[in-house]
Amino acid sequence: SLDGLLVFGLLLVCTCAYLRKVPRLRSWLLSERRGVWGVCHKAAVIGTRLHVAVSVSCLLMAFYVLVGK
């Protein structure tokens, strides 16, 4: 379903942005720019550059999941 896909995408972006802030994990996991780890790198870049929009989206999705469903 679409709401499940949106929740997965938001969690991926938030998790990768958090992992980017940890120095040891940043060099180990997010140094690759191609393949599966490249997707994580791109999600981390989106999460850090658009942190306000991502956090508002997480709050709205949490409200939707808790109250709307």
Side-chain angles (χ1 to χ4, degrees):
S1 64
L2 182 61
D3 57 343
L5 186 64
L6 288 174
V7 168
F8 175 76
L10 284 172
L11 287 175
L12 178 72
V13 168
C14 292
T15 303
C16 291
Y18 175 75
L19 290 177
R20 188 173 180 176
K21 297 292 184 184
V22 180
R24 182 170 289 186
L25 292 176
R26 181 179 183 176
S27 64
W28 187 53
L29 291 176
L30 300 173
S31 62
E32 193 67 34
R33 297 186 193 269
R34 294 189 181 138
V36 175
W37 297 117
V39 173
C40 292
H41 172 76
K42 291 174 186 174
V45 170
I46 290 170
T48 55
R49 290 187 182 170
L50 299 174
H51 63 279
V52 175
V54 170
S55 62
V56 169
S57 299
C58 284
L59 288 173
L60 289 174
M61 185 55 73
F63 181 76
Y64 170 74
V65 168
L66 290 175
V67 178
K69 269 188 153 180

Coordinates of all heavy atoms in Angstrom, one line a residue:
S1 N 0.8 -1.2 0.0 CA 0.0 0.0 0.0 C 0.9 1.2 0.0 O 2.1 1.2 0.3 CB -0.9 0.0 1.2 OG -0.2 0.1 2.4
L2 N 0.3 2.3 -0.4 CA 1.0 3.6 -0.5 C 1.5 4.1 0.9 O 2.7 4.6 1.0 CB 0.2 4.6 -1.2 CG 0.9 6.0 -1.4 CD1 2.1 5.8 -2.3 CD2 -0.1 7.0 -2.0
D3 N 0.7 4.0 1.9 CA 1.1 4.5 3.2 C 2.3 3.7 3.8 O 3.1 4.2 4.4 CB -0.1 4.6 4.1 CG -0.8 3.3 4.4 OD1 -0.6 2.4 3.5 OD2 -1.5 3.2 5.3
G4 N 2.3 2.4 3.5 CA 3.4 1.6 4.0 C 4.7 1.9 3.2 O 5.8 1.9 3.8
L5 N 4.6 2.2 2.0 CA 5.7 2.6 1.2 C 6.3 4.0 1.7 O 7.5 4.1 1.8 CB 5.4 2.7 -0.3 CG 6.5 3.0 -1.3 CD1 7.5 1.8 -1.2 CD2 6.0 3.2 -2.7
L6 N 5.4 4.9 2.0 CA 5.8 6.2 2.5 C 6.5 6.0 3.9 O 7.5 6.7 4.2 CB 4.6 7.1 2.6 CG 4.1 7.6 1.3 CD1 2.8 8.5 1.5 CD2 5.1 8.5 0.6
V7 N 5.9 5.2 4.7 CA 6.6 4.9 6.1 C 7.9 4.3 5.9 O 8.9 4.7 6.5 CB 5.6 4.0 6.9 CG1 6.4 3.6 8.2 CG2 4.4 4.8 7.3
F8 N 8.1 3.4 5.0 CA 9.4 2.7 4.7 C 10.4 3.8 4.2 O 11.5 3.8 4.7 CB 9.2 1.6 3.7 CG 10.5 1.0 3.3 CD1 11.2 0.2 4.2 CD2 11.1 1.3 2.1 CE1 12.4 -0.4 3.9 CE2 12.3 0.7 1.8 CZ 13.0 -0.1 2.6
G9 N 10.0 4.6 3.3 CA 10.9 5.6 2.8 C 11.3 6.6 3.8 O 12.5 7.0 3.9
L10 N 10.4 7.1 4.6 CA 10.7 8.0 5.7 C 11.7 7.4 6.7 O 12.6 8.0 7.2 CB 9.5 8.5 6.4 CG 8.7 9.6 5.6 CD1 7.3 9.9 6.3 CD2 9.5 10.9 5.5
L11 N 11.4 6.1 7.1 CA 12.3 5.5 8.0 C 13.7 5.2 7.4 O 14.7 5.3 8.1 CB 11.7 4.1 8.5 CG 10.5 4.2 9.4 CD1 9.9 2.9 9.7 CD2 10.9 4.9 10.7
L12 N 13.7 4.9 6.2 CA 15.0 4.8 5.5 C 15.8 6.1 5.5 O 17.0 6.1 5.8 CB 14.8 4.3 4.1 CG 16.1 4.1 3.3 CD1 16.9 2.9 3.8 CD2 15.8 4.0 1.8
V13 N 15.2 7.2 5.2 CA 15.8 8.5 5.1 C 16.3 8.9 6.5 O 17.4 9.3 6.7 CB 14.9 9.5 4.5 CG1 15.5 10.9 4.7 CG2 14.7 9.3 3.0
C14 N 15.4 8.7 7.5 CA 15.8 9.1 8.9 C 16.9 8.2 9.4 O 17.9 8.7 10.1 CB 14.6 9.0 9.8 SG 13.3 10.2 9.4
T15 N 16.9 6.9 9.2 CA 17.9 6.0 9.7 C 19.3 6.3 9.0 O 20.3 6.4 9.7 CB 17.5 4.5 9.4 OG1 16.3 4.3 10.0 CG2 18.6 3.6 10.0
C16 N 19.3 6.5 7.7 CA 20.5 6.8 7.0 C 21.1 8.1 7.4 O 22.3 8.3 7.5 CB 20.3 6.7 5.5 SG 20.0 5.1 4.9
A17 N 20.2 9.1 7.6 CA 20.7 10.4 8.1 C 21.3 10.3 9.5 O 22.3 11.0 9.8 CB 19.6 11.4 8.1
Y18 N 20.7 9.5 10.4 CA 21.3 9.3 11.7 C 22.6 8.6 11.6 O 23.6 8.9 12.3 CB 20.3 8.5 12.6 CG 20.9 8.1 13.9 CD1 21.0 9.1 14.9 CD2 21.4 6.8 14.2 CE1 21.6 8.8 16.1 CE2 21.9 6.5 15.4 CZ 22.0 7.5 16.4 OH 22.6 7.2 17.6
L19 N 22.7 7.5 10.7 CA 24.0 6.8 10.6 C 25.1 7.7 10.0 O 26.3 7.4 10.3 CB 23.8 5.6 9.7 CG 22.9 4.4 10.3 CD1 22.8 3.3 9.3 CD2 23.6 3.9 11.6
R20 N 24.7 8.7 9.2 CA 25.7 9.6 8.7 C 26.4 10.4 9.7 O 27.5 10.9 9.6 CB 25.1 10.5 7.6 CG 26.1 11.3 6.9 CD 25.4 12.0 5.7 NE 26.5 12.7 5.0 CZ 26.3 13.4 4.0 NH1 25.1 13.5 3.4 NH2 27.3 14.1 3.4
K21 N 25.7 10.7 10.8 CA 26.2 11.5 11.9 C 27.2 10.7 12.8 O 28.0 11.4 13.5 CB 25.1 12.0 12.8 CG 24.1 12.9 12.1 CD 24.8 14.2 11.8 CE 23.8 15.2 11.1 NZ 24.4 16.4 10.7
V22 N 27.2 9.4 12.7 CA 28.2 8.6 13.5 C 29.4 8.4 12.7 O 29.4 7.8 11.6 CB 27.5 7.2 13.9 CG1 28.5 6.4 14.7 CG2 26.2 7.4 14.6
P23 N 30.6 8.9 13.1 CA 31.8 8.9 12.3 C 32.2 7.6 11.8 O 32.6 7.4 10.7 CB 32.8 9.6 13.2 CG 32.1 10.3 14.2 CD 30.8 9.6 14.4
R24 N 32.3 6.6 12.7 CA 32.8 5.3 12.4 C 31.8 4.6 11.4 O 32.3 3.9 10.4 CB 32.9 4.4 13.6 CG 33.5 3.0 13.3 CD 33.8 2.3 14.5 NE 35.0 2.9 15.1 CZ 35.6 2.5 16.2 NH1 35.2 1.4 16.8 NH2 36.6 3.1 16.7
L25 N 30.5 4.7 11.5 CA 29.6 4.1 10.6 C 29.6 4.9 9.3 O 29.3 4.3 8.2 CB 28.2 4.1 11.2 CG 28.0 3.2 12.4 CD1 26.6 3.3 13.0 CD2 28.3 1.7 12.0
R26 N 29.8 6.2 9.3 CA 29.8 7.0 8.1 C 30.9 6.5 7.1 O 30.7 6.3 5.9 CB 30.0 8.4 8.4 CG 30.0 9.3 7.2 CD 30.2 10.8 7.5 NE 30.1 11.6 6.3 CZ 30.1 12.9 6.3 NH1 30.2 13.5 7.4 NH2 30.0 13.5 5.2
S27 N 32.1 6.3 7.6 CA 33.2 5.8 6.8 C 33.0 4.4 6.4 O 33.4 4.0 5.3 CB 34.5 6.0 7.5 OG 34.6 5.2 8.6
W28 N 32.3 3.6 7.2 CA 32.2 2.2 6.9 C 31.0 1.9 6.0 O 31.1 1.1 5.0 CB 32.0 1.4 8.2 CG 32.0 -0.1 8.1 CD1 33.0 -0.8 7.4 CD2 31.0 -1.0 8.6 NE1 32.6 -2.2 7.5 CE2 31.4 -2.3 8.2 CE3 29.9 -0.8 9.3 CZ2 30.7 -3.4 8.5 CZ3 29.1 -1.9 9.6 CH2 29.6 -3.2 9.2
L29 N 29.8 2.5 6.2 CA 28.6 2.1 5.5 C 28.3 3.1 4.4 O 27.8 2.7 3.3 CB 27.4 2.1 6.5 CG 27.4 1.0 7.5 CD1 26.2 1.2 8.4 CD2 27.3 -0.3 6.8
L30 N 28.5 4.4 4.6 CA 28.0 5.4 3.6 C 29.1 6.0 2.7 O 28.9 7.0 2.2 CB 27.3 6.5 4.4 CG 26.1 6.0 5.2 CD1 25.6 7.2 6.1 CD2 25.0 5.5 4.3
S31 N 30.2 5.3 2.6 CA 31.3 5.8 1.7 C 31.0 5.4 0.3 O 31.5 6.0 -0.6 CB 32.6 5.3 2.2 OG 32.7 3.9 2.2
E32 N 30.3 4.3 0.1 CA 30.0 3.8 -1.3 C 28.9 4.6 -1.9 O 27.9 4.9 -1.3 CB 29.7 2.4 -1.2 CG 29.7 1.7 -2.5 CD 31.1 1.5 -3.1 OE1 32.0 1.4 -2.4 OE2 31.1 1.6 -4.4
R33 N 29.1 5.0 -3.2 CA 28.1 5.8 -3.8 C 27.3 5.0 -4.9 O 26.5 5.6 -5.7 CB 28.7 7.0 -4.5 CG 29.3 7.9 -3.4 CD 29.8 9.2 -4.0 NE 30.7 9.9 -3.1 CZ 30.2 10.9 -2.3 NH1 29.0 11.1 -2.2 NH2 31.1 11.5 -1.5
R34 N 27.6 3.7 -5.0 CA 26.9 2.9 -6.0 C 26.3 1.7 -5.3 O 26.7 1.3 -4.3 CB 27.8 2.4 -7.1 CG 28.4 3.6 -7.9 CD 29.1 3.1 -9.1 NE 29.6 4.2 -9.9 CZ 30.8 4.3 -10.4 NH1 31.7 3.3 -10.2 NH2 31.2 5.3 -11.0
G35 N 25.3 1.1 -6.0 CA 24.7 -0.1 -5.5 C 23.7 0.1 -4.3 O 23.1 1.2 -4.2
V36 N 23.5 -0.9 -3.4 CA 22.6 -0.8 -2.3 C 23.1 0.3 -1.3 O 22.3 1.1 -0.8 CB 22.5 -2.1 -1.6 CG1 21.7 -2.0 -0.4 CG2 21.9 -3.1 -2.6
W37 N 24.4 0.3 -1.1 CA 24.9 1.3 -0.1 C 24.8 2.7 -0.7 O 24.8 3.7 0.0 CB 26.4 1.0 0.3 CG 26.4 -0.3 1.0 CD1 27.1 -1.4 0.6 CD2 25.8 -0.6 2.3 NE1 26.9 -2.4 1.6 CE2 26.1 -1.9 2.6 CE3 25.0 0.1 3.2 CZ2 25.7 -2.6 3.7 CZ3 24.5 -0.5 4.3 CH2 24.9 -1.9 4.6
G38 N 24.8 2.8 -2.0 CA 24.6 4.1 -2.7 C 23.3 4.7 -2.4 O 23.1 5.9 -2.3
V39 N 22.3 3.8 -2.4 CA 20.9 4.2 -2.0 C 20.9 4.8 -0.6 O 20.3 5.8 -0.3 CB 19.9 3.1 -2.2 CG1 18.5 3.5 -1.7 CG2 19.8 2.6 -3.6
C40 N 21.6 4.1 0.3 CA 21.7 4.6 1.7 C 22.4 5.9 1.7 O 22.0 6.8 2.5 CB 22.4 3.6 2.5 SG 21.4 2.1 2.8
H41 N 23.4 6.1 0.9 CA 24.2 7.4 0.9 C 23.3 8.5 0.4 O 23.2 9.6 1.0 CB 25.4 7.2 0.0 CG 26.1 8.5 -0.2 ND1 26.9 9.1 0.7 CD2 26.1 9.4 -1.3 CE1 27.3 10.3 0.2 NE2 26.9 10.4 -1.0
K42 N 22.5 8.2 -0.7 CA 21.6 9.3 -1.2 C 20.5 9.6 -0.2 O 20.1 10.7 -0.1 CB 21.1 8.8 -2.6 CG 22.1 8.8 -3.6 CD 21.6 8.2 -4.9 CE 22.8 8.0 -5.9 NZ 22.5 7.4 -7.1
A43 N 20.0 8.6 0.5 CA 19.0 8.8 1.5 C 19.5 9.7 2.6 O 18.8 10.5 3.2 CB 18.4 7.5 2.0
A44 N 20.8 9.4 3.0 CA 21.4 10.2 4.1 C 21.6 11.7 3.6 O 21.4 12.6 4.4 CB 22.7 9.6 4.4
V45 N 21.9 11.9 2.4 CA 22.1 13.2 1.9 C 20.7 14.0 1.9 O 20.6 15.1 2.3 CB 22.7 13.2 0.5 CG1 22.7 14.6 -0.2 CG2 24.2 12.7 0.6
I46 N 19.7 13.3 1.4 CA 18.4 13.9 1.5 C 17.9 14.2 2.9 O 17.4 15.3 3.2 CB 17.4 12.9 0.8 CG1 17.6 12.9 -0.7 CG2 15.9 13.4 1.1 CD1 16.8 11.8 -1.4
G47 N 18.2 13.3 3.8 CA 17.8 13.5 5.2 C 18.5 14.6 5.9 O 18.0 15.3 6.7
T48 N 19.8 14.8 5.5 CA 20.5 15.9 6.2 C 20.3 17.3 5.5 O 20.2 18.3 6.2 CB 22.1 15.7 6.1 OG1 22.5 15.4 4.8 CG2 22.4 14.5 7.0
R49 N 20.0 17.3 4.2 CA 19.7 18.6 3.5 C 18.3 19.1 3.8 O 18.1 20.2 3.8 CB 20.0 18.5 2.1 CG 21.5 18.4 1.8 CD 21.8 18.4 0.3 NE 23.2 18.3 0.1 CZ 23.7 18.1 -1.1 NH1 23.0 18.0 -2.2 NH2 25.0 18.0 -1.2
L50 N 17.4 18.1 3.8 CA 16.0 18.5 4.0 C 15.5 18.1 5.3 O 14.3 17.5 5.4 CB 15.1 17.8 2.9 CG 15.5 18.2 1.4 CD1 14.7 17.4 0.5 CD2 15.2 19.7 1.2
H51 N 16.2 18.3 6.4 CA 15.9 17.7 7.7 C 14.6 18.3 8.2 O 13.8 17.6 8.9 CB 17.0 18.0 8.7 CG 17.4 19.4 8.9 ND1 18.1 20.1 8.1 CD2 17.0 20.2 10.0 CE1 18.3 21.3 8.6 NE2 17.6 21.4 9.7
V52 N 14.3 19.5 7.9 CA 13.0 20.1 8.4 C 11.8 19.5 7.7 O 10.8 19.1 8.4 CB 13.0 21.7 8.2 CG1 11.7 22.2 8.6 CG2 14.1 22.3 9.0
A53 N 11.9 19.3 6.4 CA 10.8 18.7 5.7 C 10.6 17.2 6.0 O 9.5 16.7 6.1 CB 11.0 18.8 4.2
V54 N 11.7 16.5 6.2 CA 11.7 15.1 6.6 C 11.0 15.0 8.0 O 10.2 14.1 8.2 CB 13.1 14.5 6.5 CG1 13.1 13.1 7.1 CG2 13.5 14.4 5.1
S55 N 11.4 15.8 8.9 CA 10.9 15.7 10.3 C 9.4 16.1 10.3 O 8.6 15.4 11.0 CB 11.7 16.6 11.3 OG 11.5 18.0 10.9
V56 N 9.0 17.1 9.6 CA 7.5 17.4 9.5 C 6.8 16.2 8.8 O 5.7 15.9 9.3 CB 7.3 18.7 8.7 CG1 5.9 18.9 8.4 CG2 7.9 19.9 9.5
S57 N 7.4 15.6 7.8 CA 6.7 14.5 7.2 C 6.6 13.3 8.1 O 5.6 12.6 8.1 CB 7.5 14.1 5.9 OG 7.6 15.1 5.0
C58 N 7.6 13.1 8.9 CA 7.6 12.0 9.9 C 6.5 12.2 11.0 O 5.7 11.3 11.3 CB 8.9 11.8 10.6 SG 10.2 11.0 9.6
L59 N 6.3 13.5 11.4 CA 5.3 13.8 12.4 C 3.9 13.6 11.8 O 3.0 13.1 12.4 CB 5.5 15.2 12.9 CG 6.6 15.5 13.8 CD1 6.8 16.9 14.1 CD2 6.4 14.7 15.1
L60 N 3.7 14.1 10.5 CA 2.4 13.9 9.9 C 2.1 12.4 9.6 O 1.0 12.0 9.8 CB 2.4 14.7 8.6 CG 2.4 16.2 8.7 CD1 2.5 16.9 7.3 CD2 1.1 16.7 9.4
M61 N 3.1 11.7 9.2 CA 2.8 10.2 9.0 C 2.6 9.5 10.3 O 1.7 8.6 10.3 CB 4.0 9.6 8.3 CG 3.8 8.2 7.9 SD 2.4 7.9 6.9 CE 2.9 8.5 5.3
A62 N 3.2 9.9 11.4 CA 2.9 9.3 12.7 C 1.5 9.6 13.1 O 0.8 8.7 13.6 CB 3.9 9.8 13.7
F63 N 1.1 10.8 12.9 CA -0.3 11.2 13.2 C -1.3 10.4 12.4 O -2.3 9.9 12.9 CB -0.5 12.7 13.0 CG -1.8 13.2 13.4 CD1 -2.2 13.3 14.7 CD2 -2.7 13.5 12.4 CE1 -3.5 13.8 15.1 CE2 -4.0 13.9 12.7 CZ -4.4 14.1 14.1
Y64 N -1.0 10.3 11.1 CA -1.9 9.5 10.2 C -2.0 8.1 10.6 O -3.0 7.5 10.7 CB -1.4 9.6 8.8 CG -2.1 8.7 7.8 CD1 -3.4 9.0 7.5 CD2 -1.5 7.6 7.4 CE1 -4.1 8.1 6.6 CE2 -2.2 6.7 6.5 CZ -3.5 7.0 6.2 OH -4.2 6.2 5.3
V65 N -0.8 7.5 11.0 CA -0.8 6.0 11.3 C -1.5 5.8 12.7 O -2.3 4.9 12.8 CB 0.6 5.5 11.4 CG1 0.7 4.1 12.0 CG2 1.2 5.4 10.0
L66 N -1.3 6.7 13.6 CA -1.9 6.5 14.9 C -3.4 6.9 15.0 O -4.2 6.2 15.7 CB -1.2 7.4 16.0 CG 0.2 6.9 16.3 CD1 0.9 7.9 17.2 CD2 0.2 5.5 16.9
V67 N -3.8 7.9 14.3 CA -5.2 8.4 14.4 C -6.0 8.1 13.1 O -7.1 7.7 13.3 CB -5.2 10.0 14.6 CG1 -6.6 10.5 14.7 CG2 -4.4 10.3 15.9
G68 N -5.4 8.2 12.0 CA -6.1 8.1 10.7 C -6.5 6.7 10.4 O -7.5 6.4 9.8
K69 N -5.7 5.7 10.8 CA -6.0 4.3 10.4 C -6.9 3.7 11.3 O -6.9 3.5 12.4 CB -4.6 3.5 10.3 CG -4.1 3.6 8.9 CD -2.9 2.6 8.9 CE -2.7 2.1 7.5 NZ -1.6 1.2 7.4

